Amino acid sequence: MGEQIASSVRAALAEGSLTPGERLPAARALADSLDVNVHTVLRGYQRLRDEGLIELRRGRGAVVVEMDGARFRAGLLARAAELAAEARRLGVSEEELLTLVRQSFALGPAPASGG
């Protein structure tokens, strides 16, 4: 459930419904509304902090970071999570997936669409 909370925040950042400087709901309030343990919410928030998307400030709670590219980063993290989930579903190991990503990355930037 902590990952689902983090995923929801990533999606909101990617679509722009959450913006830098915005405060997330207090962990206890969110836990009460979702009927989960407060530690579950905190795990989700800690994951987002570790990803560089939010800051956890004592007395202020969880705040979306003010950095260029936060929206892009959130979208990229969400797509990476989807890719990892699909790889697991297909039985692709972590190392195989990393090899595929490295190979794709080595191909260079995607061609610009001209028209």
Side-chain angles (χ1 to χ4, degrees):
M1 185 59 144
E3 178 52 39
Q4 290 174 321
I5 292 167
S7 182
S8 294
V9 172
R10 282 187 215 106
L13 280 167
E15 67 189 25
S17 59
L18 266 179
T19 57
E22 195 167 341
R23 290 176 61 182
L24 299 181
R28 184 160 309 283
L30 185 56
D32 289 346
S33 72
L34 296 175
D35 197 29
V36 298
N37 188 294
V38 69
H39 295 288
T40 301
V41 174
L42 289 173
R43 274 194 300 276
Y45 282 6
Q46 287 166 348
R47 182 174 211 124
L48 292 165
R49 180 201 59 204
D50 293 346
E51 293 170 359
L53 298 175
I54 67 169
E55 290 179 347
L56 295 175
R57 301 177 184 166
R58 194 168 263 342
R60 269 201 78 203
V63 180
V64 177
V65 297
E66 297 194 35
M67 64 177 233
D68 293 334
R71 186 172 170 192
F72 169 77
R73 182 176 176 82
L76 188 58
L77 284 166
R79 289 191 300 277
E82 291 169 8
L83 178 62
E86 180 70 6
R88 281 191 294 275
R89 189 183 69 74
L90 295 172
V92 174
S93 72
E94 179 181 353
E95 192 54 44
E96 289 174 297
L97 179 59
L98 290 173
T99 298
L100 291 170
V101 169
R102 286 182 190 111
Q103 288 171 349
S104 296
F105 200 78
L107 293 175
S113 57

